[in-house]
Amino acid sequence: MREILIVGGGYAGFCTAWGLEKRLRPGEARVTVVDPRPYMTYQPFLPEVVAGSVEARHAAVSLRRHLRRTRLVAGSVTEIRHSARTVTVRPESGPSLDLHYDVLVVTAGAVTRTFPIPGLSDQAYGLKHVEEAVAIRDRLLTSFDRAAGLPRGPERSKLLTVTVVGGGFSGVEGFGELLALATALLKQYPEIGADEPAFHLVEARDRILPEVTDRPGAWVVRSLEKRGARVHLNTQLVSAEDGRVRLSDGTEYDSGLLVWTAGNAANPIVHNHSDLPVDERGLLTVRADLRVTTDTEVVPDVWAAGDDASVPDLAAGRPGAHTVPNAQHAVRQGKRLAKNILASLRGRPAKDYVHRSLGVVATLGLGRGIFQYRGLVIKGFPAWLMHRGYHVLAIPSWERKTRVFAVWATALLYGRDIVSLASVQHPREAFVSRGEPRRGEEPAQPGDRLTA
């Protein structure tokens, strides 16, 4: 059998493996997926995980549950050597191993782009994984619990101040859901005044949501500001040391929660630790049929899709256009990739990836959203319903769709869950200390950042 090795189990990798499983004949090829996590994260649901509108586990799709005929290797790829048809993997435990392949599929995804800003690595949370979304939610809930027991003052103000850096879809949706959660929490915390929570959205460009046009983007800013938020445009984070936020526009304040969503960067495995061709951004260069290619020729038996690939956008109608890194493209590229690999194995020509956007839709908090398709713009509650409807249909497997929908239906009757489980970050604390502070240490505070 031919060995098909897929690097990365995200949207594109999962959908590629899933499609191959459904169509491969017995004995035709064996599929292996390498990923450090045993699940695929459906990232569009992470803002709703932050708000408690989606259960954390329901935003993750188990690889073993759905890829039953695929070999799964839990580990991180450290090097790709196509000259030797070998990938080096560092497993979760044990020594590194080399995996050999006949066909390579690179769907490693992108990583969060960061900058050497003082205090950023110590204070900030990302928003690309389920664990981060849960930690952000627990941090906010715990901050409300602690603030309710304090008198008004600097410490209480810091606990009730939230900063999100990045005005793309991830940042704006996460910000809107956090704002909606905090507003809902005020009903349960009579000790905290409606004027006390402070929310800051920081964006380096002169607008947010670059995927929508100027007027809808400006409407989103006005909508957030009417809800009490402050949006800083043309502004960068300068420092976050000890929770003290300093912005390039001169604003300075203490923030108890800092979330960083300022864009993606090329996966270092692709642009630093492989012999495959990449462009100036560090992304794999591919043809429209998703084959990896140099300027002059196709790299044999190597395919790529998703956020780590520079895929030509044939539907854009202009030369040099590339698909944007989002779930809408990654899922469809994975499906096309599975069909093209099968066609190649069976001696048939591969087809180009062409997808015309269905529009863009974003949630801005419970009951609020925005949708745009060309000149058509829908705002408010209808757009929010469209967001939920689209993503519950888009998440892979009917099992996950049913679970997500069940949580939404329950929330209609009983509201969102506001229990914080921040102590799960220190699961042995109660057992070890038995309620007593350890000698020479302050008692652990729920919501304190877990550090390695």
Side-chain angles (χ1 to χ4, degrees):
M1 287 194 298
R2 304 198 75 186
E3 294 283 346
I4 302 174
L5 179 60
I6 301 175
V7 177
Y11 304 115
F14 174 84
C15 290
T16 300
W18 209 18
L20 288 170
E21 272 200 1
K22 295 176 181 178
R23 297 176 176 85
L24 280 171
R25 299 166 185 155
E28 187 173 15
R30 183 172 71 165
V31 181
T32 298
V33 173
V34 181
D35 197 281
R37 289 178 169 81
Y39 55 83
M40 183 273 282
T41 302
Y42 190 70
Q43 291 182 355
F45 275 154
L46 292 186
E48 295 209 50
V49 172
V50 168
S53 299
V54 170
E55 167 61 34
R57 285 183 173 84
H58 298 168
V61 179
S62 170
L63 298 181
R64 290 194 178 274
R65 181 174 188 135
H66 298 285
L67 301 179
R68 298 182 180 179
R69 294 189 290 115
T70 296
R71 177 190 177 198
L72 300 174
V73 178
S76 301
V77 172
T78 58
E79 187 178 8
I80 298 173
R81 300 186 305 279
H82 184 59
S83 58
R85 302 273 176 141
T86 301
V87 165
T88 301
V89 179
R90 184 178 64 244
E92 294 301 304
S93 59
S96 295
L97 64 145
D98 288 338
L99 299 179
H100 300 278
Y101 61 83
D102 296 299
V103 178
L104 178 65
V105 180
V106 185
T107 53
V111 297
T112 301
R113 180 182 60 184
T114 59
F115 300 97
I117 298 172
L120 179 64
S121 60
D122 297 324
Q123 300 293 327
Y125 293 88
L127 190 53
K128 286 185 73 68
H129 302 291
V130 172
E131 300 91 340
E132 294 171 322
V134 172
I136 292 168
R137 167 181 164 78
D138 286 341
R139 186 62 177 251
L140 181 67
L141 294 174
T142 302
S143 294
F144 266 72
D145 282 333
R146 293 170 62 183
L150 294 173
R152 287 200 180 214
E155 185 176 358
R156 176 161 157 155
S157 295
K158 180 178 180 179
L159 288 169
L160 297 175
T161 300
V162 175
T163 303
V164 175
V165 181
F169 264 87
S170 180
V172 171
E173 289 189 322
F175 185 79
E177 292 288 356
L178 277 170
L179 183 57
L181 175 59
T183 302
L185 287 176
L186 290 173
K187 300 176 183 178
Q188 311 297 329
Y189 289 86
E191 306 93 336
I192 298 175
D195 62 322
E196 292 190 78
F199 280 75
H200 298 263
L201 177 62
V202 181
E203 169 54 45
R205 292 168 291 190
D206 61 354
R207 50 165 301 176
I208 62 174
L209 296 179
E211 293 84 354
V212 304
T213 52
D214 289 345
R215 292 183 64 184
W219 176 85
V220 173
V221 172
R222 294 195 301 271
S223 174
L224 293 173
E225 290 178 338
K226 286 179 181 178
R227 294 160 61 188
R230 184 172 177 186
V231 180
H232 304 261
L233 300 178
N234 292 311
T235 305
Q236 297 177 346
L237 177 67
V238 175
S239 173
E241 289 184 296
D242 300 321
R244 185 70 177 176
V245 171
R246 295 179 175 86
L247 304 179
S248 60
D249 64 358
T251 305
E252 188 173 329
Y253 57 89
D254 290 324
S255 182
L257 175 58
L258 175 62
V259 181
W260 178 270
T261 65
N264 295 325
N267 195 306
I269 299 303
V270 171
H271 69 84
N272 289 338
H273 304 285
S274 82
D275 56 359
L276 299 173
V278 296
D279 64 10
E280 66 280 358
R281 297 173 295 167
L283 302 177
L284 290 168
T285 55
V286 302
R287 300 194 318 187
D289 63 0
L290 306 179
R291 292 179 184 267
V292 174
T293 182
T294 66
D295 292 336
T296 58
E297 61 183 358
V298 170
V299 179
D301 298 318
V302 184
W303 308 75
D307 293 356
D308 63 4
S310 181
V311 180
D313 188 355
L314 300 184
R318 62 181 187 278
H322 294 87
T323 59
V324 297
N326 61 21
Q328 187 178 140
H329 282 297
V331 170
R332 288 169 174 80
Q333 287 171 10
K335 294 178 179 179
R336 169 47 51 197
L337 196 49
K339 294 176 182 178
N340 281 355
I341 291 172
L342 281 170
S344 177
L345 290 176
R346 296 169 184 173
R348 299 198 301 266
K351 294 183 179 180
D352 289 344
Y353 171 76
V354 183
H355 172 64
R356 289 172 175 80
S357 174
L358 303 176
V360 292
V361 61
T363 174
L364 304 175
L366 190 64
R368 300 177 175 90
I370 186 166
F371 167 83
Q372 182 174 15
Y373 176 70
R374 297 181 180 177
L376 174 65
V377 178
I378 300 175
K379 306 170 185 175
F381 185 74
W384 176 78
L385 283 179
M386 295 172 69
H387 176 274
R388 283 203 160 183
Y390 173 78
H391 286 298
V392 79
L393 291 175
I395 189 171
S397 86
W398 282 102
E399 173 257 344
R400 273 298 180 261
K401 300 180 201 296
T402 303
R403 291 182 186 273
V404 170
F405 189 79
V407 172
W408 286 342
T410 304
L412 287 175
L413 298 175
Y414 303 108
R416 71 180 89 207
D417 199 324
I418 62 169
V419 175
S420 169
L421 295 177
S423 58
V424 76
Q425 297 180 37
H426 307 274
R428 298 184 66 249
E429 185 69 31
F431 174 75
V432 172
S433 67
R434 290 175 291 180
E436 292 289 339
R438 283 178 283 186
R439 184 174 299 177
E441 295 183 4
E442 294 294 326
Q445 297 294 330
D448 284 352
R449 181 75 184 272
L450 179 64
T451 56

